Amino acid sequence: MALYKLKCVLFACVAFPSVGSELKAANQRDAKSTWFEGFLAELGASDEYNFDDGIDWGILPGPFSNPELGVGVGVAAIGLYKATDKVVTDPLSTLSVTAFISSTGAYGAGIEHRHYFASDLWRWQLNASINDAPAYYWGVGHTEAMNDENKQTHTGLSVSFSPIFSFLITEDTYAKVGWDGMWLTQQQYEHMTTKQVTSLSDQYSNGVVLGIETDSRDFEPNPKQGYLWSLEWGVFRRDLGSQQNFERLTGNLRHYYAVDSDNIIAMDVFAEQLTGDVPWYRLSRLGSDQRMRGYYEGQFRDNAQMNGQIEWRHQWSPYHGGVLWGGMGAIAPTFSQLATADWLPTVGIGYRFAFKPRVNVRFDFGVGKDQTGFYFHVNEAF
């Protein structure tokens, strides 16, 4: 089924020749639209699911350009499917595979997998990535992050692997157990001012993740109603294959309220505290494509973080929509010091395109304090 099909009625008019010209232009626009719709359909775009082959796949390629990576191209493959037993009441499981390569030689790939089975009694979640790309590092704390003289370029190969298994213990409430591993190798720092290059030895951290969450969301990638209350505790120990002993406590509250069929209010509060001998690459980082959009991820990092945001989501046609959001966040050495920390604002606007039913491609433009960010991603930010 073609997307956004335009219906035109063709007729000739001798008395008003300008009308004929306008209709000719309209036909040309319609032809272009038909070509674009066909192109999207070839990539897997559709207004309905097709599970004839088991997984309903779609592919989204896209070019990019930025100072760190140069010119490059990325691609995202999105798959939706039901569990193997084909239980009608099971939520849709999702599998996203992303990859990129750039003119500077940087590359990366990632997997996000959400699997629901046994009528949602059990859940499986996997996030994994491998990246060899430059990133900036300012140091630890708000003051260090505000001084560009501290800015350094970090290069290296990073690998992360985080599987989590959840099981239902009462209505909408799940217990979680998982693993969180990260490895850094081939690392170098280059100071932006002195140009001094420093090599680093390999670094790695591994830990067990335990948690509990209450989740009543109707569809995780793009909720219209429901809520999520989540609490996770990560324990990283040398006995588990980590170079340092440290702990991480993370809390997340989300709520979704459907004003009507076309308008949703979404709210998100996130808090994190790390204690112990925390390595620099594991510190809580403010800014990402999910939270505090508009800030360079990792410029502001410390042991504690808290942020909140509220987003208005409006659907102006079956396939097009937009969002507006606002929020604030801060970092500090401890959670108790967040009350007196320097809080940073974020506001932004975004466009949504329904690549598949309730699976949106999003383009977000976030504005922070003295900086901005543009984001291209699949599914909602939260």
Side-chain angles (χ1 to χ4, degrees):
M1 184 180 297
L3 303 179
Y4 322 122
K5 189 171 183 181
L6 301 178
K7 297 182 179 180
C8 299
V9 179
L10 305 181
F11 62 95
C13 183
V14 177
F16 303 99
S18 61
V19 175
S21 300
E22 292 175 0
L23 289 172
K24 182 178 180 181
N27 290 337
Q28 292 174 344
R29 290 193 298 269
D30 185 59
K32 293 179 181 179
S33 176
T34 302
W35 174 87
F36 184 64
E37 293 165 6
F39 175 70
L40 291 175
E42 288 295 323
L43 296 178
S46 175
D47 56 4
E48 60 185 15
Y49 300 120
N50 181 1
F51 300 125
D52 292 343
D53 297 324
I55 300 180
D56 187 3
W57 284 104
I59 300 177
L60 290 169
F64 65 84
S65 176
N66 60 54
E68 297 82 27
L69 301 180
V71 178
V73 63
V75 62
I78 307 102
L80 299 100
Y81 65 96
K82 286 283 189 178
T84 54
D85 53 7
K86 300 284 192 299
V87 177
V88 177
T89 57
D90 279 358
L92 277 177
S93 297
T94 61
L95 174 62
S96 298
V97 182
T98 60
F100 75 89
I101 188 170
S102 80
S103 59
T104 62
Y107 65 88
I111 295 175
E112 295 182 8
H113 188 202
R114 305 291 185 270
H115 184 80
Y116 307 89
F117 49 97
S119 297
D120 206 16
L121 293 175
W122 310 90
R123 294 179 173 183
W124 164 261
Q125 173 181 321
L126 173 66
N127 290 299
S129 67
I130 179 170
N131 292 287
D132 188 349
Y136 292 136
Y137 176 73
W138 280 260
V140 180
H142 185 99
T143 302
E144 294 292 309
M146 295 298 292
N147 185 358
D148 273 346
E149 292 185 359
N150 299 321
K151 193 175 181 180
Q152 304 176 59
T153 300
H154 172 266
T155 58
L157 178 67
S158 66
V159 179
S160 65
F161 179 72
S162 179
I164 293 181
F165 183 70
S166 306
F167 54 94
L168 187 70
I169 57 177
T170 185
E171 184 178 1
D172 294 332
T173 300
Y174 294 81
K176 302 190 293 184
V177 59
W179 188 263
D180 189 348
M182 183 176 291
W183 301 266
L184 299 178
T185 186
Q186 304 173 23
Q187 298 183 88
Q188 284 190 336
Y189 273 119
E190 180 181 351
H191 198 281
M192 297 292 289
T193 303
T194 65
K195 302 300 181 183
Q196 180 179 355
V197 177
T198 303
S199 296
L200 297 176
S201 58
D202 293 351
Q203 296 175 288
Y204 51 90
S205 56
N206 293 278
V208 173
V209 177
L210 303 173
I212 188 168
E213 70 177 23
T214 299
D215 186 0
S216 69
R217 293 173 295 178
D218 57 338
F219 185 52
E220 181 183 348
N222 184 9
K224 289 186 176 181
Q225 59 185 5
Y227 56 85
L228 170 71
W229 302 346
S230 174
L231 187 65
E232 288 186 0
W233 180 44
V235 182
F236 301 82
R237 293 289 185 267
R238 291 187 177 90
D239 294 340
L240 298 174
S242 184
Q243 288 177 314
Q244 292 97 357
N245 293 332
F246 63 98
E247 299 180 4
R248 181 187 64 211
L249 185 63
T250 305
N252 189 201
L253 305 177
R254 304 181 189 180
H255 188 78
Y256 306 87
Y257 174 67
V259 179
D260 53 40
S261 59
D262 296 326
N263 294 278
I264 298 170
I265 301 297
M267 293 169 283
D268 172 52
V269 177
F270 177 85
E272 190 168 61
Q273 170 74 69
L274 291 103
T275 56
D277 186 15
V278 187
W280 67 272
Y281 61 92
R282 282 288 192 173
L283 292 167
S284 189
R285 299 181 297 179
L286 184 148
S288 71
D289 62 85
Q290 293 181 306
R291 300 181 179 91
M292 297 301 292
R293 285 164 283 178
Y295 290 93
Y296 185 91
E297 184 175 7
Q299 178 176 353
F300 296 89
R301 66 177 74 202
D302 213 323
N303 286 320
Q305 176 188 178
M306 186 172 186
N307 63 69
Q309 59 184 327
I310 183 169
E311 184 171 275
W312 171 44
R313 300 172 181 174
H314 177 67
Q315 195 78 17
W316 63 68
S317 80
Y319 307 104
H320 300 279
V323 304
L324 294 172
W325 78 81
M328 296 189 73
I331 57 170
T334 65
F335 194 80
S336 61
Q337 291 175 279
L338 286 168
T340 57
D342 293 317
W343 285 71
L344 299 169
T346 173
V347 295
I349 187 171
Y351 164 72
R352 301 294 183 265
F353 167 72
F355 189 70
K356 288 184 181 293
R358 300 202 51 191
V359 177
N360 289 337
V361 178
R362 63 182 172 96
F363 301 84
D364 288 340
F365 180 71
V367 180
K369 184 179 180 181
D370 301 325
Q371 54 182 301
T372 60
F374 179 77
Y375 307 89
F376 167 72
H377 212 277
V378 179
N379 297 326
E380 293 300 331
F382 63 93

